[in-house]
Amino acid sequence: MKNVKKIVAMAMAAALCVVSLTACGGSSDASATFVIGGSGPLTGPAAVYGIAVKNGAQIAVDEINAAGGVNGMTLELNFQDDEHDAEKAVNAYNTVKDAGAKVFLGTVTSTPCEAVVEKTKVDNMFQLTPSGSSVKAVQYENAFRICFSDPGQGTAAAQYIGQDLGLKKVAIIWDNSDVYSNGIYEKFKAEAANAGLEIVSEQSFQGADNKDFNTQLIAVNEAAPDIVFLPIYYQAAALILQQANQAGFDLKFFGCDGLDGIIGQLEGDAALAEGVMLLTPFVADDPDEKVQSFVKTYQEKFNEVPNQFAADAYDGVYVIKAALEDAGVKDASVAVSELCDLLKASMVKITVEGVTGTMTWTADGECAKTPMGMVIKDGNYTAIAD
Amino acid sequence: MSERKNSERAKGFSLLKIVPSKSRGKLVTVLIPVVFFAVCALLVNLGVLRSHFAGLLVPLCYYIIMAVSLNFTVGILGELSLGHAGFMCIGAYVGGLFTLLTQDSITSAWIRFPIAILLGGLIAALAGFLIGVPILRLRGDYLAIVTLAFGEIVRNLVQNIYLSRDKAGLHFSFTNAIEPERLDPATNVDIMKGPMALNGISPDATLLISVILVVITIIVILNMVDSRAGRAIMSIRDNRIAAESTGINITKYKLIVFSLSAFFAGIAGVLFAHYSTVSPPKFDYNMSILILVFVVLGGVGNIRGSIIATAILYILPEVLRGFQSYRMLIYAIVLIVMMLLNNNERFNAWKKNTTERLTAWRKGLFRKKSGKEAE
């Protein structure tokens, strides 16, 4: 019996090797096709972000190719699943590296991004994360991002609530097991006093498995805040909205880019999201021509309104295009490391007008652009009218 | 270690026959991973296998260590433990912190890394001992629940630790971030920051060290199973009351199993910390369940089965990347098929039949060979 197991195991191992080898082949002409590698969660609880990024990036790649490519090169997107896991993200990165990727558009979420940036640093591969927002996600010179950093969002949110909305009393519900939530919470708290805010209640919970927020909501409701700040992801936020409604609490909510996607999550209860405010660089009903054309294409192809992650990824591909043009790269067979040095130098020079605003970069990888306040109105994300 | 008489010693040409027949099975179990990794390393060096596959080898090593050590508790002692990731977490943080704090003073990885491994393993073993004491009276479901809770407690504790280092030394805080006033901004380096990942650990876990650790784990556990203690442990599994009535000290053996199993899980954790990014959410109960899946599908109590199942189940989702979105679906189907086949009488009968035929065929082959030599 043991022998059969051995033979079966060896046969399977051989089969696996063959599959992995064949999977590598089949890439087209090396000097004319420029491969952009990427990774994000396409399965699991964070899949909505990864899928949005993949779709957004694909639209940009198709558009650029239809318009003649970049300096004569055709773009190709190789986007792998990383399941929102640091270990799997490194595997995904290695996969796209094997497939001949020259730059890396990813990862989508912060913790995997921190793991992958260690590897891209060693390979000196140019990395551009659409939405990895933690500080360490772009800690090396070869890494840049499209979205805001977590501390940047915290500061901006405090200023927006205090100054633009003119509110005073704030309660916070945050996830103290999450990198994203922590990063925003810390800076929000530090900036609150400067923005004239008084934090009346701070309630934390642990992790995405938490499904009952009644304790936190009761405490928050007793403190009678003007607004409740939710620096968390949309799944938990949807539960908070539902449970606040069931308990009959009349609370107003304010979130960051993690709340994007909440309307879809609430499904039948979408009305609960009415009046929820978010701070994000992208609004799907922005009358801007570029935004409208992107939203239209996205809806035609994927039958839904793009969220901010899709927009970040769409911009990401155009940023790579702009950097390639600025650096004058014409041959896609250029070495990864050499290309990285060229693009690094170009990134701090270029200005890109994208669907998430006008962007410039500093050498530390941070993107400068203005956040916009959004409010959910009639089941749609709408810019807050001043 | 086996000093049994070896009557049927090597007539044929097989290398295996040098070893006493009783140890042959063990030798094969040790050789499977050694040969597998040696072939893989060779293929990677030759450029046949690309960096994607090369990147899977070290993780595979620590998952094998995890599966083998969990099988010692689940299969040999017969107690369901759902908190194995907790021990891995302890090992990862102890080993990782040791390296982070000493990588400036001890520059040689050859000195630093073995200390980190030992330290991580020992602290995890201590935790295994400590958790072993209160749960001695528990069995079955109750033990599973407590170990599950243990794993979650470890993760939650780690998640709340804040540790910084500046010129004045180390600063520590629990649940809340360290007040900025206590730190010297010029020299401060955040080491642990709650749920944030532990960054900057020197990547010392090479394939060679990992494979050596896999071999040590397998040898120690297999010999442990075959020793006097191992027999006692299995007798506890088979019939606790009978074992106790023959004078076996159940407390002692349970603690031995828990500590040893935790020791190796801790070592796996240290390897993990020196290869990948350490963050607390990684060590949640899903990790414990994943390892348990490796153990159950490889066969509870079957160490070689654990190794093979881990290799297949860890590598499978990665090689299925070519199938795009159907990847996880296929993986799930494979899991279900493996589970069904393991319990299918007709499949097992077919397996047995084929094995017998193969053994007969092999014996015939040897006979022919030795016959030719005689000529």
Side-chain angles (χ1 to χ4, degrees):
Chain A
M1 188 192 116
K2 281 175 180 169
N3 279 314
V4 167
K5 269 195 181 161
K6 220 190 307 173
I7 288 161
V8 169
M10 279 171 186
M12 288 201 69
L16 298 187
C17 293
V18 172
V19 172
S20 64
L21 288 175
T22 48
C24 298
S27 75
S28 40
D29 187 11
S31 64
T33 309
F34 186 90
V35 182
I36 300 174
S39 89
L42 300 179
T43 55
V48 74
Y49 305 127
I51 293 168
V53 164
K54 187 184 175 205
N55 293 345
Q58 191 61 53
I59 289 180
V61 165
D62 292 345
E63 278 180 11
I64 292 170
N65 285 342
V70 183
N71 293 342
M73 299 179 292
T74 319
L75 298 184
E76 185 188 312
L77 181 70
N78 186 334
F79 200 88
Q80 294 289 332
D81 183 15
D82 66 20
E83 302 164 42
H84 182 36
D85 179 286
E87 231 181 323
K88 298 286 163 75
V90 172
N91 293 342
Y93 166 67
N94 283 331
T95 309
V96 299
K97 202 169 80 179
D98 288 343
K102 299 290 173 190
V103 295
F104 190 71
L105 182 73
T107 68
V108 174
T109 41
S110 289
T111 312
C113 202
E114 291 179 10
V116 169
V117 80
E118 300 281 345
K119 307 290 172 195
T120 53
K121 180 199 165 206
V122 174
D123 296 331
N124 197 25
M125 184 186 276
F126 179 76
Q127 183 177 1
L128 180 68
T129 167
S131 50
S133 52
S134 78
V135 178
K136 282 180 175 165
V138 292
Q139 60 177 327
Y140 301 115
E141 280 185 349
N142 63 320
F144 292 81
R145 69 170 132 232
I146 302 286
C147 63
F148 302 115
S149 68
D150 290 339
Q153 287 201 54
T155 313
Q159 286 166 353
Y160 197 88
I161 295 176
Q163 283 149 20
D164 297 52
L165 297 177
L167 299 172
K168 280 260 165 308
K169 282 155 66 177
V170 188
I172 310 174
I173 301 179
W174 58 293
D175 178 355
N176 72 354
S177 71
D178 185 63
V179 175
Y180 167 81
S181 198
N182 259 274
I184 299 178
Y185 163 78
E186 256 177 42
K187 278 290 162 181
F188 183 87
K189 214 176 140 186
E191 183 67 19
N194 297 339
L197 294 175
E198 183 198 349
I199 298 177
V200 289
S201 175
E202 285 176 42
Q203 301 295 321
S204 65
F205 64 94
Q206 293 250 318
D209 295 331
N210 196 330
K211 302 284 181 232
D212 182 5
F213 296 93
N214 281 310
T215 331
Q216 286 89 345
L217 281 168
I218 290 169
V220 163
N221 194 48
E222 273 171 7
D226 295 332
I227 200 154
V228 184
F229 182 51
L230 303 176
I232 53 178
Y233 287 123
Y234 68 96
Q235 293 97 333
L239 291 171
I240 289 178
L241 291 185
Q242 280 167 336
Q243 287 166 16
N245 179 52
Q246 276 159 12
F249 297 150
D250 183 25
L251 296 167
K252 281 166 90 181
F253 296 97
F254 189 96
C256 292
D257 56 1
L259 282 204
D260 209 345
I262 193 165
I263 297 178
Q265 180 77 11
L266 283 166
E267 284 175 8
D269 291 338
L272 291 180
E274 284 299 300
V276 172
M277 287 177 273
L278 305 74
L279 205 58
T280 149
F282 173 74
V283 189
D285 72 345
D286 191 329
D288 183 86
E289 200 183 309
K290 276 196 303 294
V291 177
Q292 280 319 307
S293 126
F294 168 63
V295 172
K296 194 163 156 268
T297 321
Y298 196 96
Q299 274 177 315
E300 278 166 9
K301 277 202 165 156
F302 306 108
N303 209 12
E304 61 183 5
V305 178
N307 60 15
Q308 179 224 328
F309 289 81
D312 283 336
Y314 179 81
D315 276 358
V317 175
Y318 273 98
V319 168
I320 290 172
K321 174 178 181 264
L324 283 172
E325 280 168 353
D326 183 80
V329 180
K330 291 192 176 64
D331 184 3
S333 61
V334 60
V336 165
S337 174
E338 192 187 322
L339 179 70
C340 179
D341 292 333
L342 289 172
L343 294 182
K344 237 165 32 187
S346 296
M347 278 304 279
V348 292
K349 285 190 274 172
I350 57 174
T351 303
V352 178
E353 303 244 353
V355 291
T356 63
T358 305
M359 297 168 279
T360 55
W361 284 266
T362 48
D364 61 1
E366 298 295 349
C367 172
K369 59 182 171 188
T370 346
M372 282 187 278
M374 271 206 316
V375 63
I376 297 174
K377 213 183 207 174
D378 305 326
N380 272 315
Y381 301 102
T382 327
I384 295 178
D386 290 313
Chain B
M1 68 108 222
S2 164
E3 289 170 330
R4 286 191 184 82
K5 263 183 277 166
N6 185 20
S7 52
E8 38 163 328
R9 182 183 251 267
K11 273 183 200 154
F13 203 59
S14 169
L15 200 100
L16 282 178
K17 300 215 169 162
I18 301 167
V19 190
S21 64
K22 289 279 176 190
S23 305
R24 243 171 253 164
K26 275 196 264 179
L27 187 69
V28 170
T29 309
V30 175
L31 281 180
I32 288 176
V34 172
V35 171
F36 174 76
F37 285 112
V39 169
C40 287
L42 187 73
L43 290 178
V44 167
N45 278 337
L46 289 176
V48 180
L49 292 175
R50 313 286 294 277
S51 45
H52 175 223
F53 199 83
L56 299 178
L57 296 178
V58 176
L60 185 56
C61 283
Y62 51 71
Y63 282 118
I64 288 179
I65 298 179
M66 285 297 282
V68 169
S69 62
L70 181 63
N71 205 347
F72 191 48
T73 312
V74 175
I76 311 299
L77 178 66
E79 295 289 10
L80 188 59
S81 164
L82 295 177
H84 217 48
F87 299 121
M88 189 184 188
C89 181
I90 293 173
Y93 271 89
V94 170
L97 278 180
F98 175 80
T99 301
L100 267 184
L101 295 175
T102 56
Q103 59 192 6
D104 298 329
S105 43
I106 311 175
T107 43
S108 162
W110 287 103
I111 301 171
R112 190 180 62 222
F113 194 44
I115 303 177
I117 291 170
L118 266 183
L119 205 63
L122 286 175
I123 305 275
L126 182 69
F129 179 79
L130 291 179
I131 180 77
V133 173
I135 63 176
L136 277 172
R137 289 159 196 275
L138 302 176
R139 264 173 291 156
D141 302 350
Y142 302 99
L143 185 105
I145 292 166
V146 174
T147 48
L148 179 69
F150 164 78
E152 291 296 293
I153 289 169
V154 168
R155 182 172 65 87
N156 279 298
L157 284 179
V158 166
Q159 184 157 283
N160 280 299
I161 298 175
Y162 293 81
L163 194 65
S164 276
R165 180 162 66 169
D166 61 12
K167 63 177 183 197
L170 289 171
H171 297 267
F172 174 81
S173 168
F174 196 70
T175 36
N176 289 311
I178 304 168
E179 297 83 23
E181 304 87 67
R182 279 168 59 197
L183 299 169
D184 176 39
T187 53
N188 175 47
V189 182
D190 288 329
I191 295 171
M192 281 177 83
K193 216 174 162 199
M196 308 288 193
L198 213 57
N199 284 88
I201 302 171
S202 141
D204 294 333
T206 58
L207 183 59
L208 180 67
I209 298 175
S210 308
V211 175
I212 291 174
L213 288 173
V214 168
V215 170
I216 292 176
T217 310
I218 297 172
I219 292 179
V220 169
I221 294 212
L222 282 178
N223 282 340
M224 187 76 189
V225 173
D226 262 359
S227 70
R228 189 187 145 87
R231 307 268 179 249
I233 292 163
M234 284 188 284
S235 75
I236 297 173
R237 173 191 67 188
D238 294 339
N239 193 328
R240 206 180 75 98
I241 295 170
E244 205 164 14
S245 64
T246 53
I248 287 171
N249 185 346
I250 293 187
T251 312
K252 182 176 122 191
Y253 287 114
K254 270 193 171 177
L255 287 179
I256 288 177
V257 175
F258 266 92
S259 319
L260 197 66
S261 177
F263 177 77
F264 287 115
I267 286 182
V270 179
L271 278 179
F272 177 85
H274 292 77
Y275 189 78
S276 185
T277 306
V278 188
S279 64
K282 181 78 197 174
F283 304 104
D284 63 357
Y285 62 85
N286 285 320
M287 171 74 109
S288 300
I289 304 287
L290 179 75
I291 308 293
L292 191 66
V293 167
F294 294 161
V295 170
V296 171
L297 290 186
V300 172
N302 182 348
I303 303 289
R304 194 187 298 171
S306 296
I307 300 169
I308 295 170
T310 308
I312 294 175
L313 294 179
Y314 182 70
I315 295 178
L316 196 63
E318 289 301 325
V319 295
L320 288 177
R321 279 190 186 278
F323 292 96
Q324 304 274 327
S325 10
Y326 298 105
R327 190 165 76 101
M328 282 314 186
L329 190 70
I330 297 172
Y331 181 63
I333 293 173
V334 170
L335 283 184
I336 295 168
V337 169
M338 274 175 85
M339 195 171 64
L340 289 178
L341 283 184
N342 268 346
N343 280 318
N344 187 304
E345 276 175 28
R346 282 171 69 186
F347 177 73
N348 284 333
W350 173 82
K351 239 177 17 179
K352 209 178 154 201
N353 196 357
T354 326
T355 324
E356 276 162 9
R357 265 191 280 163
L358 269 173
T359 329
W361 173 71
R362 205 181 60 177
K363 276 185 183 155
L365 211 68
F366 279 131
R367 228 166 270 148
K368 265 186 215 161
K369 256 191 190 170
S370 43
K372 268 180 199 164
E373 270 160 29
E375 282 167 22

